[in-house]
Amino acid sequence: MKLILLSIPLYILSTFSTAPTLPHSPEFELIKEGNGIQFFERWIIMEDGTKSREVKFTMEIQAPSSNVLEVLTNEKFGEKWNENTLDYKIKAIGKQSWISYIKYSFPFPLSDRECYLYNELVENKDGKTIFFKSAPTRIFSNGENIVQMEGLKGRWVIGGKNSQSLLRYHIISVPEEGLPRWIVDPIIRKNLWATMENLKRTIEEI
């Protein structure tokens, strides 16, 4: 069976809110762009009162959508494009669904983290979407006492025609308490941007 790569929770050190947002949310702010990649962010209030950060990426890729899916679903590419990754494993549980594991190594003052995700590939006439959310398992942890990234939920959306593709990544997060934003935000944003650059380069090279 072909092994399938996780769709990683790129927004590191966060818990993810699944509650609906209030209407009239602010516009997205463009954080960074270049080389066909755009990184947007905004702060929103969910209906349960939680203050959350919404992040999205769009990426123009000079390769067919089959290349995009190949990189996102083939284990051998995982450590090549995922930034700050110590370990990466998957376990297929269906033809288009799988459990994925990733262990992150972050620079001081952030600690190492690991997460497990349930992933599902959904296809329709407009393209393909990989949905992911936290999975209640520790099958690859080997008894290690490492902080878990839980409550995760997001998606990759793959589209395009012929030799060009558009990849979108979207997630809503509730940053953890403890360290101030002026310390955490630059590390998070740097990791996100480096991962997306790695991903685009890997897709276009295969």
Side-chain angles (χ1 to χ4, degrees):
M1 176 181 293
K2 178 181 177 180
L3 295 182
I4 304 177
L5 176 67
L6 74 94
S7 43
I8 65 171
L10 291 173
Y11 199 73
I12 59 177
L13 291 185
S14 304
T15 56
F16 290 72
S17 175
T18 59
T21 61
L22 291 174
H24 312 301
S25 295
E27 295 296 321
F28 277 100
E29 176 187 358
L30 177 64
I31 301 301
K32 188 173 181 177
E33 65 177 334
N35 192 29
I37 304 172
Q38 291 184 309
F39 173 14
F40 299 92
E41 185 179 272
R42 67 179 176 180
W43 285 91
I44 57 177
I45 304 298
M46 313 301 284
E47 285 189 353
D48 62 2
T50 303
K51 186 177 182 180
S52 305
R53 189 196 318 248
E54 187 173 8
V55 170
K56 70 175 181 179
F57 274 85
T58 64
M59 186 186 309
E60 296 175 357
I61 300 171
Q62 302 305 310
S65 59
S66 58
N67 282 31
V68 179
L69 190 62
E70 174 71 10
V71 171
L72 290 176
T73 61
N74 195 319
E75 187 178 65
K76 71 179 183 181
F77 297 114
E79 293 189 24
K80 185 173 182 179
W81 66 271
N82 285 307
E83 190 76 1
N84 291 321
T85 301
L86 289 176
D87 196 11
Y88 178 85
K89 294 183 175 70
I90 66 124
K91 181 178 180 180
I93 58 174
K95 185 177 180 180
Q96 296 193 138
S97 59
W98 62 98
I99 297 292
S100 55
Y101 166 80
I102 189 166
K103 182 179 179 181
Y104 292 103
S105 175
F106 298 130
F108 181 84
L110 307 182
S111 62
D112 293 349
R113 302 287 169 109
E114 66 178 11
C115 69
Y116 289 86
L117 298 175
Y118 170 80
N119 305 263
E120 184 174 10
L121 174 63
V122 176
E123 303 180 63
N124 57 41
K125 61 182 179 63
D126 297 318
K128 300 176 176 65
T129 302
I130 298 174
F131 295 95
F132 59 86
K133 62 182 180 180
S134 291
T137 182
R138 298 292 180 269
I139 57 176
F140 299 119
S141 296
N142 297 319
E144 293 183 87
N145 186 20
I146 299 175
V147 176
Q148 301 294 314
M149 298 170 65
E150 299 178 329
L152 313 180
K153 187 174 183 179
R155 66 185 182 271
W156 296 95
V157 181
I158 306 166
K161 294 181 179 179
N162 301 323
S163 62
Q164 294 186 328
S165 302
L166 178 65
L167 178 62
R168 290 177 290 166
Y169 177 81
H170 186 275
I171 206 155
I172 297 176
S173 67
V174 181
E176 292 181 357
E177 297 180 357
L179 294 173
R181 281 184 54 193
W182 65 268
I183 293 178
V184 175
D185 282 8
I187 298 173
I188 291 173
R189 288 171 175 172
K190 182 178 180 180
N191 193 84
L192 279 163
W193 186 260
T195 295
M196 288 299 185
E197 285 189 315
N198 294 343
L199 177 58
K200 176 177 166 65
R201 182 169 53 252
T202 302
I203 292 169
E204 293 178 341
E205 286 177 348
I206 67 170

Coordinates of all heavy atoms in Angstrom, one line a residue, residues 16-28 42-55 153 155 170-174:
F16 N -6.3 24.6 18.2 CA -7.1 25.1 17.1 C -8.6 25.1 17.5 O -9.1 24.1 18.0 CB -6.9 24.2 15.9 CG -5.5 24.4 15.3 CD1 -4.4 24.0 16.0 CD2 -5.4 25.2 14.2 CE1 -3.2 24.2 15.5 CE2 -4.1 25.4 13.7 CZ -3.0 24.9 14.3
S17 N -9.3 26.2 17.2 CA -10.7 26.4 17.6 C -11.6 25.9 16.4 O -11.3 26.3 15.3 CB -11.0 27.8 17.9 OG -12.3 28.0 18.2
T18 N -12.6 25.1 16.8 CA -13.5 24.7 15.7 C -14.9 25.4 15.9 O -15.8 25.2 15.1 CB -13.8 23.2 15.9 OG1 -14.3 22.9 17.2 CG2 -12.5 22.4 15.7
A19 N -15.0 26.4 16.8 CA -16.2 27.1 17.0 C -16.4 28.1 15.8 O -15.4 28.6 15.3 CB -16.2 27.9 18.3
P20 N -17.7 28.4 15.5 CA -17.9 29.3 14.4 C -17.5 30.7 14.7 O -17.5 31.1 15.9 CB -19.4 29.2 14.1 CG -20.0 28.7 15.4 CD -18.9 27.8 16.0
T21 N -17.2 31.6 13.7 CA -16.7 32.9 14.0 C -17.9 33.9 14.0 O -19.0 33.6 13.4 CB -15.8 33.4 12.9 OG1 -16.5 33.3 11.6 CG2 -14.5 32.5 12.8
L22 N -17.8 35.0 14.7 CA -18.8 36.0 14.6 C -18.8 36.7 13.3 O -17.7 36.8 12.6 CB -18.5 37.1 15.7 CG -18.7 36.6 17.2 CD1 -18.3 37.6 18.2 CD2 -20.2 36.2 17.4
P23 N -19.9 37.3 12.8 CA -19.9 38.0 11.6 C -19.1 39.3 11.7 O -18.7 39.7 12.7 CB -21.4 38.4 11.4 CG -22.0 38.3 12.8 CD -21.2 37.3 13.5
H24 N -18.8 39.9 10.5 CA -18.0 41.2 10.4 C -16.6 41.0 11.0 O -16.1 41.9 11.7 CB -18.8 42.3 11.2 CG -20.2 42.4 10.8 ND1 -20.7 42.6 9.5 CD2 -21.3 42.2 11.6 CE1 -22.0 42.6 9.6 NE2 -22.4 42.4 10.8
S25 N -16.0 39.9 10.7 CA -14.6 39.7 11.1 C -13.7 40.7 10.3 O -14.0 41.1 9.2 CB -14.1 38.3 10.8 OG -14.9 37.4 11.6
P26 N -12.6 41.1 10.9 CA -11.7 42.0 10.1 C -11.1 41.4 8.9 O -11.1 40.2 8.8 CB -10.6 42.3 11.2 CG -10.6 41.2 12.1 CD -12.0 40.7 12.2
E27 N -10.6 42.2 8.0 CA -9.9 41.7 6.8 C -8.6 41.1 7.1 O -8.0 41.4 8.1 CB -9.7 42.9 5.8 CG -10.9 43.5 5.3 CD -11.8 42.6 4.4 OE1 -11.2 41.8 3.7 OE2 -13.0 42.6 4.5
F28 N -8.2 40.1 6.3 CA -6.9 39.5 6.5 C -5.8 40.5 6.2 O -5.9 41.4 5.3 CB -6.7 38.4 5.5 CG -7.3 37.1 5.9 CD1 -8.5 36.7 5.4 CD2 -6.6 36.3 6.8 CE1 -9.1 35.5 5.9 CE2 -7.2 35.1 7.2 CZ -8.4 34.7 6.8
R42 N -5.2 37.1 10.5 CA -6.1 38.1 11.1 C -6.5 37.5 12.5 O -6.4 36.3 12.7 CB -7.3 38.4 10.3 CG -8.2 37.2 10.1 CD -9.4 37.6 9.3 NE -10.3 36.4 9.0 CZ -11.4 36.5 8.3 NH1 -11.8 37.6 7.8 NH2 -12.2 35.4 8.1
W43 N -6.9 38.4 13.4 CA -7.4 38.0 14.7 C -8.9 38.1 14.7 O -9.5 39.1 14.2 CB -6.8 38.9 15.8 CG -5.4 38.6 16.1 CD1 -4.3 39.1 15.6 CD2 -5.0 37.6 17.1 NE1 -3.2 38.5 16.1 CE2 -3.6 37.6 17.0 CE3 -5.6 36.7 17.9 CZ2 -2.8 36.8 17.8 CZ3 -4.9 35.9 18.7 CH2 -3.5 35.9 18.7
I44 N -9.6 37.1 15.1 CA -11.1 37.1 15.1 C -11.6 36.6 16.5 O -10.8 36.0 17.3 CB -11.6 36.1 14.0 CG1 -11.0 34.7 14.2 CG2 -11.2 36.6 12.6 CD1 -11.5 33.7 13.2
I45 N -12.8 36.8 16.7 CA -13.5 36.4 17.9 C -14.5 35.3 17.5 O -15.4 35.5 16.7 CB -14.2 37.5 18.6 CG1 -13.3 38.7 19.0 CG2 -14.9 37.0 19.9 CD1 -12.1 38.3 19.9
M46 N -14.4 34.1 18.1 CA -15.3 33.1 17.9 C -16.6 33.3 18.6 O -16.7 34.1 19.5 CB -14.7 31.7 18.3 CG -13.3 31.5 17.8 SD -13.1 31.6 16.0 CE -13.7 30.0 15.5
E47 N -17.7 32.5 18.2 CA -19.0 32.7 18.9 C -18.9 32.4 20.4 O -19.7 32.9 21.2 CB -20.0 31.8 18.2 CG -20.5 32.4 16.9 CD -21.7 31.7 16.3 OE1 -22.0 30.6 16.9 OE2 -22.2 32.1 15.3
D48 N -18.0 31.5 20.8 CA -17.8 31.2 22.2 C -17.0 32.2 23.0 O -16.7 32.0 24.1 CB -17.3 29.8 22.4 CG -15.9 29.6 21.8 OD1 -15.3 30.6 21.3 OD2 -15.3 28.5 21.9
G49 N -16.6 33.3 22.3 CA -15.8 34.4 22.9 C -14.3 34.2 22.9 O -13.5 35.0 23.3
T50 N -13.8 33.1 22.3 CA -12.4 32.8 22.2 C -11.8 33.7 21.1 O -12.2 33.9 20.0 CB -12.1 31.4 21.8 OG1 -12.8 30.5 22.7 CG2 -10.7 31.1 21.7
K51 N -10.6 34.4 21.5 CA -9.9 35.2 20.6 C -8.9 34.3 19.8 O -8.1 33.5 20.5 CB -9.1 36.3 21.3 CG -8.4 37.2 20.4 CD -7.7 38.3 21.2 CE -7.0 39.3 20.2 NZ -6.3 40.4 20.9
S52 N -9.0 34.3 18.5 CA -8.3 33.3 17.7 C -7.5 34.0 16.6 O -7.9 35.1 16.1 CB -9.2 32.3 17.1 OG -10.0 31.6 18.2
R53 N -6.5 33.3 16.1 CA -5.7 33.8 15.0 C -6.1 32.9 13.8 O -6.0 31.7 13.9 CB -4.2 33.8 15.3 CG -3.4 34.5 14.2 CD -1.9 34.1 14.2 NE -1.4 34.0 15.6 CZ -0.5 34.9 16.0 NH1 0.0 35.9 15.3 NH2 0.0 34.7 17.3
E54 N -6.5 33.5 12.7 CA -6.8 32.8 11.5 C -5.6 33.0 10.5 O -5.2 34.2 10.2 CB -8.1 33.3 10.9 CG -8.5 32.4 9.7 CD -9.9 32.8 9.2 OE1 -10.5 33.8 9.7 OE2 -10.5 32.1 8.4
V55 N -5.1 31.9 10.0 CA -4.0 32.0 9.1 C -4.3 31.3 7.8 O -5.0 30.3 7.8 CB -2.7 31.3 9.7 CG1 -1.6 31.1 8.7 CG2 -2.2 32.0 10.9
K153 N -7.1 21.3 13.7 CA -8.1 21.1 12.6 C -7.7 22.1 11.5 O -7.5 23.3 11.7 CB -9.5 21.4 13.1 CG -10.6 21.1 12.1 CD -12.0 21.2 12.7 CE -13.0 20.8 11.7 NZ -14.4 20.9 12.2
R155 N -7.0 22.3 6.7 CA -7.2 21.7 5.4 C -6.2 22.2 4.4 O -5.7 23.4 4.5 CB -8.6 21.9 4.8 CG -8.9 23.4 4.5 CD -10.4 23.6 4.1 NE -10.7 25.0 3.8 CZ -11.1 25.9 4.7 NH1 -11.3 25.5 5.9 NH2 -11.4 27.1 4.3
H170 N -5.3 26.6 5.2 CA -6.1 27.4 6.0 C -6.3 26.8 7.4 O -6.4 25.6 7.5 CB -7.5 27.5 5.4 CG -8.4 28.5 6.1 ND1 -9.2 28.1 7.1 CD2 -8.7 29.8 5.9 CE1 -9.9 29.2 7.6 NE2 -9.6 30.2 6.8
I171 N -6.2 27.6 8.4 CA -6.3 27.1 9.8 C -6.7 28.2 10.7 O -6.3 29.4 10.5 CB -5.1 26.4 10.3 CG1 -5.4 25.3 11.3 CG2 -4.0 27.3 10.7 CD1 -4.4 24.2 11.4
I172 N -7.4 27.9 11.8 CA -7.7 28.9 12.9 C -7.1 28.4 14.2 O -7.3 27.2 14.5 CB -9.3 29.1 13.0 CG1 -9.9 29.7 11.8 CG2 -9.6 30.0 14.2 CD1 -11.4 29.8 11.8
S173 N -6.4 29.3 14.9 CA -5.7 28.8 16.1 C -6.0 29.7 17.3 O -6.2 30.9 17.1 CB -4.2 28.7 15.8 OG -3.7 30.0 15.6
V174 N -5.8 29.1 18.5 CA -5.9 29.8 19.7 C -4.5 29.7 20.3 O -4.1 28.6 20.8 CB -6.9 29.3 20.7 CG1 -6.9 30.1 22.0 CG2 -8.3 29.3 20.0

